[in-house]
Amino acid sequence: MDRAWIELDKEALISNIESYRRALPDNCKIMGVVKANSYGHGALSVAPVLAEAGVDYFATAALQEAIDVREAGITADILVLGYTDPSNFHKLVEYNITQTVTCPEYAKLLQDYCRENGVQISGHIAVDSGMHRIGYLPSQIKDIENAYNGSGLVITGIFSHLCVADDENEDNVKFSIAQAECYHKLIGELESKGINLGTTHLLASYAAINYKEFNASYARLGILMFGVRSEFDDYLIADLDPKPVLSLKAHITSVRTIEPGETVSYGRKFTAERTTRVASVAIGYADGLPRCLSNRIRAIVNGKYAAGIGRICMDQLMLDVTDIEDVKVGDTAVFIGCEGDCTIQVEELAENASTITNEILSRLGSRIEGRIFI
Ligand SMILES: *Cc1c(COP(=O)(O)O)cnc(C)c1O
């Protein structure tokens, strides 16, 4: 590897899937959410492993992500959870991809397209149970029935999404239960009208554990499947023994010694207080390490922690390796992962950047060269 790269632990991924299988009710299968390049892990690396582990349904956010997964050889069903522009409806047909139906108006666009072109598109109805992002409102049950009874656009599933399932605040627990009950009541009513609902799914990573009793035919698993939490102290009632899948590493490109009073990087935001060995590393904010982590990031070099010093640049950053012996050009710096007795969890980066791991991981850029299994 040249500059910076990602290493993936296949055993960890499979182990996480197996822990989930043990935790989920027998009749609830796993939908692998591989959106945003599988949360930065590389969809084309992750999806085949999931398929091998028996995952038979995939979800992405964007049509192109779904096409990429399909072209990587996945024959299972793939659902696009987000919006697809009508100018791309033909690709849903061409690649046999299922589209989320976000509202009655959007259903009409899909139906018109199918009628005009004499084709069928498979769709899942999104239900807005309180998040108010996308989906049919429960009061639009008649429109849902019409969608199921229509032709061209063939409704093969129905789902909703909880928005505070990772929070233990009493009010939010009540809200999650109300969302789940709203969804289950709606699907009960549709079933009682004799509608074959197809694939039903409600719960994502956290909800599938915290609100297990509301599981449907599938749970849509993203972040926890990769062995990391969104934040250190999220609400999760059962520990699934998560194993982080991703490590982020980069090469040291240069080492120099500076004297007390000298400064490092743009803006001179770090001043040496002692004679300092400075190692430059070939990774920067354009690779996905947030610039706000300047002076608040660390790496593992030769089995020891090294503090990030000075501003993170677009393509490089600097580490203080004064206390680490024999650091040289070509050595590896680990920003997420383990080495020796040292571990850096992505949760730490997220906390220091005031965000969640989902954002840190999904922004790991395309310029990071390899996503390789070790
Ligand atoms: C992203 C997403 C998921 C996966 O969420 P995680 O919390 O990462 O498991 C599931 N469902 C929908 C609708 C999503 O947008």
Side-chain angles (χ1 to χ4, degrees):
M1 292 293 163
D2 193 10
R3 294 179 63 253
W5 66 99
I6 280 168
E7 292 176 4
L8 302 169
D9 183 342
K10 185 173 171 178
E11 302 302 313
L13 183 55
I14 292 170
S15 158
N16 295 337
I17 294 285
E18 284 168 358
S19 325
Y20 254 110
R21 283 228 172 88
R22 283 191 294 273
L24 293 172
D26 287 344
N27 56 357
C28 177
K29 299 210 276 180
I30 292 173
M31 185 181 293
V33 180
V34 294
K35 63 188 180 187
N37 204 18
S38 280
Y39 296 56
H41 292 62
L44 305 190
S45 306
V46 167
V49 176
L50 298 184
E52 206 183 300
V55 171
D56 65 354
Y57 219 122
F58 291 84
T60 66
L63 174 65
Q64 190 55 50
E65 295 171 342
I67 292 173
D68 291 344
V69 169
R70 179 67 82 222
E71 288 192 326
I74 299 295
T75 54
D77 285 320
I78 307 174
L79 169 66
V80 175
L81 294 166
Y83 174 80
T84 296
D85 189 78
S87 63
N88 280 324
F89 283 169
H90 65 282
K91 295 185 186 168
L92 294 168
V93 181
E94 189 181 338
Y95 292 92
N96 186 23
I97 285 163
T98 303
Q99 172 61 44
T100 290
V101 186
T102 55
C103 59
E105 295 83 337
Y106 192 65
K108 184 162 186 316
L109 293 175
L110 284 159
Q111 283 159 343
D112 289 350
Y113 176 84
C114 289
R115 199 183 46 250
E116 283 158 20
N117 295 279
V119 293
Q120 286 195 340
I121 290 175
S122 154
H124 282 199
I125 297 281
V127 175
D128 180 0
S129 56
M131 184 172 182
H132 302 326
R133 179 170 68 174
I134 57 165
Y136 288 62
L137 291 165
S139 58
Q140 293 174 311
I141 186 166
K142 196 79 203 130
D143 294 303
I144 298 177
E145 261 186 88
N146 290 342
Y148 267 104
N149 292 331
S151 57
L153 173 62
V154 181
I155 304 300
T156 53
I158 182 163
F159 73 100
S160 190
H161 192 49
L162 308 190
C163 57
V164 279
D166 56 356
D167 191 319
E168 67 197 304
N169 162 297
E170 195 187 320
D171 191 43
N172 285 336
V173 170
K174 269 194 201 146
F175 191 86
S176 297
I177 293 171
Q179 277 197 279
E181 286 176 350
C182 162
Y183 172 74
H184 280 283
K185 178 165 173 278
L186 182 72
I187 65 174
E189 280 170 18
L190 291 164
E191 269 169 346
S192 71
K193 291 173 193 283
I195 294 172
N196 175 11
L197 297 175
T199 306
T200 58
H201 45 113
L202 171 66
L203 308 180
S205 291
Y206 281 89
I209 300 301
N210 294 341
Y211 300 95
K212 235 191 229 191
E213 62 277 25
F214 295 110
N215 269 307
S217 50
Y218 279 86
R220 297 184 305 269
L221 303 185
I223 191 71
L224 291 179
M225 185 170 70
F226 299 108
V228 303
R229 294 185 175 207
S230 291
E231 296 180 81
F232 274 129
D233 54 358
D234 280 338
Y235 171 57
L236 190 62
I237 59 172
D239 183 6
L240 297 184
D241 187 24
K243 299 193 165 47
V245 174
L246 176 144
S247 299
L248 176 65
K249 304 186 177 182
H251 274 138
I252 289 175
T253 57
S254 188
V255 188
R256 69 206 54 238
T257 302
I258 62 168
E259 296 307 326
E262 293 193 290
T263 59
V264 174
S265 195
Y266 291 121
R268 305 176 64 220
K269 299 296 180 194
F270 173 84
T271 305
E273 286 173 1
R274 56 175 181 172
T275 301
T276 302
R277 288 287 282 166
V278 179
S280 301
V281 190
I283 189 167
Y285 61 76
D287 300 295
L289 285 180
R291 184 170 174 275
C292 68
L293 289 176
S294 296
N295 283 322
R296 344 181 40 171
I297 191 168
R298 56 182 185 160
I300 311 168
V301 178
N302 297 346
K304 287 191 177 153
Y305 292 114
I309 51 175
R311 282 217 178 120
I312 296 174
C313 311
M314 187 182 280
D315 324 296
Q316 310 184 57
L317 60 78
M318 276 62 85
L319 298 172
D320 178 348
V321 295
T322 313
D323 300 325
I324 307 174
E325 270 156 46
D326 201 27
V327 176
K328 52 189 186 309
V329 173
D331 283 354
T332 296
V334 180
F335 291 90
I336 300 169
C338 310
E339 193 185 276
D341 297 333
C342 299
T343 302
I344 300 173
Q345 295 178 273
V346 63
E347 287 89 337
E348 172 182 317
L349 277 74
E351 183 169 86
N352 290 337
S354 304
T355 183
I356 55 174
T357 58
N358 312 44
E359 182 176 359
I360 300 280
L361 292 170
S362 64
R363 288 188 170 195
L364 292 176
S366 56
R367 202 173 66 181
I368 293 182
E369 290 146 14
R371 285 167 166 83
I372 50 166
F373 284 103
I374 44 149

